[in-house]
Amino acid sequence: MTNETDKFVVDVVYALPTQQKVISVNVNPGTSAIEVVRLSNIVSFFPEIDLDTDTVKLGVFSNVVKHDQEILPGQRVEIYRPLIADPKDVRRRRADKAKDEGRANKVTGGRA
């Protein structure tokens, strides 16, 4: 049985382009990442977060983790928003544009 002294504080972080929210939660050892997010009740501030599906991505200090990963003292759980555009496609379009404008070699893609 865990007592109050075994608990530790974990921050839950979610950010939008215009605002961010950090909520500190006291959790017991062995608490999973998704349980920490649920305990934070961050959904009341950001109803667009759907915790009932596996589509929501969670991370600890910029490293994606599974929902059932145990959270350790000193860690921060981050909730990631879905990407608007695929970074590879954006880079590919930028490179094609540079080739069309003559700023890149049309064969190698390197600088002209």
Side-chain angles (χ1 to χ4, degrees):
M1 183 165 177
T2 60
N3 58 25
E4 201 63 33
T5 59
D6 292 341
K7 289 188 170 195
F8 55 90
V9 177
V10 175
D11 289 334
V12 177
V13 181
Y14 184 70
L16 296 173
T18 57
Q19 72 182 64
Q20 69 178 6
K21 188 78 171 169
V22 179
I23 299 174
S24 296
V25 182
N26 282 326
V27 297
N28 292 318
T31 305
S32 69
I34 194 71
E35 289 171 347
V36 171
V37 174
R38 284 195 172 100
L39 288 171
S40 73
N41 199 25
I42 201 161
V43 178
S44 65
F45 298 100
F46 303 101
E48 67 271 14
I49 301 172
D50 184 13
L51 298 178
D52 296 329
T53 64
D54 286 340
T55 56
V56 67
K57 301 286 185 203
L58 302 178
V60 174
F61 293 116
S62 301
N63 294 314
V64 177
V65 298
K66 294 182 179 180
H67 287 202
D68 60 353
Q69 178 167 326
E70 181 180 333
I71 300 302
L72 304 173
Q75 290 184 331
R76 175 184 72 203
V77 178
E78 302 157 344
I79 305 168
Y80 300 132
R81 293 179 286 130
L83 293 175
I84 297 171
D86 182 12
K88 290 181 184 177
D89 287 339
V90 172
R91 185 180 183 289
R92 193 173 296 117
R93 280 186 297 217
R94 195 170 56 236
D96 289 342
K97 183 179 177 187
K99 288 179 190 176
D100 293 342
E101 293 175 352
R103 293 182 289 125
N105 185 308
K106 292 188 186 291
V107 176
T108 64
R111 294 191 177 175

